[in-house]
Amino acid sequence: MIKSVIFTGGQMDSDSSFIDSDENKDSFVICADSGYLYAQKISVKPDIIIGDYDSLGFIPEDINERFVYPQEKDDTDLMLAVKEALNRGFKQIDIYGAFGGRFDHLYSNVQALAFIAEKQAVGSLISEFEVVTLLNPGKYEFKYKEGFSFSLFSFSNEVKGLTINGVKYITDNITLSNYFPLGISNIIIKEKADISFESGKLLVVQSKMINNISENA
């Protein structure tokens, strides 16, 4: 099944070339409120737009499917978009425009990844400088990204049975806790990293390093 791409109303990247057109080809595109401006910037036409439109200030007329919600609601505009993607059966959801601005907004976006994981799907927050992915137990591969660190955190109380290969600091059947940053600033040294774990929820963060500052943190 093709994946869903969501554009939300956070910081737009200065360089949109990081968005792989081949990888995102045929993706189902949802704009959450002012994420519509992000899609316009990179000449992508959304399949649907959803939100309360308080940030955008108008409801676009060039989108066939438009969902309008009141400003006072329990869900953020991004959560509305996530729920729509899940309701349509998508198991991979990539979210752009989720960084920048207030920390509470960023953290709520990470919580949206946890909601996606609870529904047995995989979600990622993606920018030209960061890729944040939340995983359920299983086996996964992450491709080498030049100049990026590779950090793993326990989003649940613990992640147990964690094994990592293809990285500078390999592990075998270890436990990560959510109160100590043991898995920070690793590096993929092969074509890909292989990770597996038995229980918990694992937050994978790939961050662009500047002058190797992240590598030596």
Side-chain angles (χ1 to χ4, degrees):
M1 178 177 291
I2 61 175
K3 68 180 176 180
S4 178
V5 169
I6 296 175
F7 293 103
T8 189
Q11 180 177 313
M12 292 190 224
D13 297 286
S14 58
D15 179 10
S16 62
S17 63
F18 73 95
I19 300 179
D20 189 326
S21 58
D22 290 333
E23 183 178 331
N24 289 322
K25 186 179 180 181
D26 298 326
S27 294
F28 187 85
V29 178
I30 303 174
C31 285
D33 202 322
S34 59
Y36 174 78
L37 300 177
Y38 200 140
Q40 275 197 320
K41 177 186 176 183
I42 60 174
S43 301
V44 171
K45 185 172 182 179
D47 293 286
I48 67 173
I49 186 168
I50 194 168
D52 57 26
Y53 306 96
D54 61 339
S55 299
L56 188 57
F58 65 97
I59 301 174
E61 296 295 328
D62 61 333
I63 310 302
N64 291 332
E65 288 194 71
R66 301 183 295 274
F67 298 89
V68 183
Y69 287 82
Q71 291 186 21
E72 294 184 2
K73 58 189 185 305
D74 291 333
D75 289 326
T76 64
D77 290 329
L78 175 58
M79 280 301 302
L80 292 173
V82 164
K83 288 182 177 181
E84 186 66 28
L86 291 169
N87 287 339
R88 291 173 183 254
F90 294 104
K91 295 299 183 182
Q92 181 180 349
I93 301 173
D94 290 348
I95 302 168
Y96 295 89
F99 295 93
R102 291 163 40 178
F103 177 77
D104 57 343
H105 286 176
L106 174 58
Y107 191 75
S108 73
N109 293 342
V110 175
Q111 287 185 312
L113 297 184
F115 182 85
I116 293 169
E118 281 295 314
K119 301 300 182 181
Q120 304 305 309
V122 176
S124 296
L125 310 178
I126 302 175
S127 77
E128 59 184 308
F129 299 110
E130 309 280 351
V131 181
V132 179
T133 306
L134 190 61
L135 300 173
N136 288 314
K139 296 181 179 181
Y140 302 91
E141 295 180 354
F142 282 83
K143 294 180 181 178
Y144 171 82
K145 289 175 65 67
E146 184 175 359
F148 278 73
S149 62
F150 186 68
S151 298
L152 307 181
F153 303 94
S154 178
F155 193 77
S156 52
N157 288 336
E158 290 183 326
V159 165
K160 294 184 177 181
L162 176 64
T163 297
I164 318 169
N165 289 296
V167 296
K168 184 176 182 180
Y169 305 107
I170 63 174
T171 69
D172 182 22
N173 196 32
I174 68 166
T175 296
L176 289 183
S177 69
N178 65 359
Y179 56 81
F180 189 81
L182 180 63
I184 197 169
S185 293
N186 212 333
I187 304 170
I188 299 176
I189 58 174
K190 297 185 178 181
E191 291 184 0
K192 60 182 177 66
D194 294 299
I195 66 173
S196 63
F197 63 104
E198 297 173 356
S199 65
K201 281 190 167 46
L202 185 69
L203 191 68
V204 180
V205 181
Q206 297 171 273
S207 298
K208 190 170 185 177
M209 298 182 289
I210 302 174
N211 298 324
N212 292 326
I213 291 175
S214 298
E215 180 179 347
N216 298 318

